[in-house]
Amino acid sequence: MEDFTAEQREILDAARRFNAAEAARFIDLMESQNRFPPELPRVLAQYGLMGMRFPREYGGSGLDAMGAALAIEELARVSPAIADVILCLHAGTGLLLAYANAEQKARFLPPVARGERLSAYGLTEREAGSDLAALRTVAQPTSDGFALRGAKIFITLGAVADFAVVLARTNLDAEKPHRGMSLLLVEGHNRGKPQEFMGLRGTAVAGISFNNLVVPRQNIVGVENEGFKQVMKSLDGGRIEVAALSVGLAQGALDEAVKYARQRKQFGRRIADFQGIQFLLADMQTRIDAARGLTYRAACLRDAGRPHSREASQAKLFASEAALQCASDALQIHGGYGYWKKFAVERLFRDAKITQIFEGTNQIQRIVIARSVLEEG
């Protein structure tokens, strides 16, 4: 921690204290009932974790990308689901920080920092996942704003969010579809019921829909019809945070594997003394160190204002694959016990897979990286 700033050390310590004092009770509720704990945001806010990226005038800590990555990594070491809540809040509010006007920021950001309101980020649709330009949600211009109609799916916090940052078509006559999209601040949307997924349970993932919902013109975020471009520019930050979540998950899996290997005995010896187990642990540690290095590099480049799209994609790609492999190896070390819900590695294994899918699938990351390499060549 010698190279971290005082602010970075402070938020990392806050995440550690949250994990030690609070995380277990929330994990139990989220896992057993697939229910988002309504008190979770306020507790996270007490530790300064809800608005850590917000400037101080909006109730935040003004942290940089590196500080946020450290906090998300630490939270994910114990609960990837809780880390994902923070990550998804950052996705929508990050666009507000980048593009919203002062009135919008003052209205929407402080309640989030205090844990009083939750935001969702409305991008994905049934026919628009990796191909975001294919989205069909329409915001039809009216005399005083827009009539919003359409639906979004797989929205983290969608079942509980008080408002959403939604990408919709505002110019149906645009020559190219992606040139006619805008970001809108939406309240009063229809919330779907929480959906059942393999992992990251209790994060209130649901569809949200709009049936000619009236959205005032002053709720446009940034420049009208520039929403697609704004979203594309924001993806690098999200990928760094997914990488940080993946590193934390992998570290949590290794921690559990080491603890179990030291305790479990077979053939009269600790299984930690067997070379086969040691090789698995060695590979896990090496993957984690490499993933952490890629993640921190991308975060530092972002904080320095330097180009980092390729580095963000590399971090997300490598760290997410390391997370799934480390979770699998940790489960293997546990043997049959690892397949039992009583043990944390079973949950970490289920949580790991989504890191290869959201914020751009790993196939998309490879395209981004390859294009960058070819352009340089």
Side-chain angles (χ1 to χ4, degrees), residues 58-289:
Y58 300 119
S61 305
L63 275 180
D64 54 13
M66 185 65 191
L70 290 171
I72 288 172
E73 177 187 335
E74 173 59 22
L75 291 172
R77 185 180 62 81
V78 173
S79 174
I82 293 175
D84 184 52
V85 169
I86 299 297
L87 189 155
C88 291
L89 283 172
H90 283 179
T93 58
L95 286 165
L96 299 186
L97 289 171
Y99 300 109
N101 58 42
E103 186 278 330
Q104 290 169 337
K105 291 177 183 178
R107 177 183 172 192
F108 287 95
L109 295 181
V112 174
R114 295 191 297 266
E116 296 170 359
R117 302 191 82 198
L118 291 172
S119 65
Y121 186 27
L123 290 186
T124 306
E125 300 179 6
R126 291 188 182 279
E127 302 298 328
S130 297
D131 183 14
L132 192 57
L135 69 80
R136 298 180 179 178
T137 296
V138 172
Q140 185 74 43
T142 64
S143 59
D144 56 353
F146 301 90
L148 184 63
R149 61 181 185 275
K152 303 290 183 177
I153 63 170
F154 302 155
I155 307 302
T156 300
L157 301 177
V160 295
D162 300 286
F163 68 93
V165 181
V166 174
L167 185 65
R169 295 189 182 281
T170 46
N171 181 3
L172 300 182
D173 297 323
E175 182 179 350
K176 294 185 178 180
H178 63 276
R179 292 182 178 173
M181 299 182 189
S182 301
L183 286 169
L184 301 174
L185 273 164
V186 177
E187 299 176 278
H189 54 278
N190 297 316
R191 301 170 178 169
K193 294 182 179 180
Q195 296 159 340
E196 290 276 353
F197 287 100
M198 179 173 74
L200 298 184
R201 290 173 58 80
T203 54
V205 178
I208 58 176
S209 60
F210 327 98
N211 184 17
N212 288 320
L213 177 67
V214 176
V215 179
R217 181 162 292 275
Q218 60 264 32
N219 280 24
I220 286 183
V221 179
V223 179
E224 187 173 346
N225 296 323
E226 292 290 321
F228 184 88
K229 186 185 298 184
Q230 293 165 350
V231 168
M232 290 298 104
K233 288 182 178 180
S234 76
L235 289 177
D236 291 337
R239 287 166 181 169
I240 292 169
E241 294 193 351
V242 171
L245 184 153
S246 301
V247 171
L249 191 158
Q251 184 66 61
L254 176 60
D255 293 346
E256 293 294 328
V258 169
K259 180 173 67 174
Y260 184 83
R262 286 171 171 168
Q263 297 172 349
R264 176 70 167 167
K265 290 186 177 181
Q266 290 287 276
F267 307 102
R269 301 167 60 189
R270 301 183 313 168
I271 64 171
D273 297 326
F274 293 107
Q275 191 178 66
I277 299 296
Q278 293 174 356
F279 282 4
L280 287 174
L281 295 174
D283 288 345
M284 292 168 71
Q285 183 66 72
T286 302
R287 289 189 184 96
I288 292 168
D289 287 347

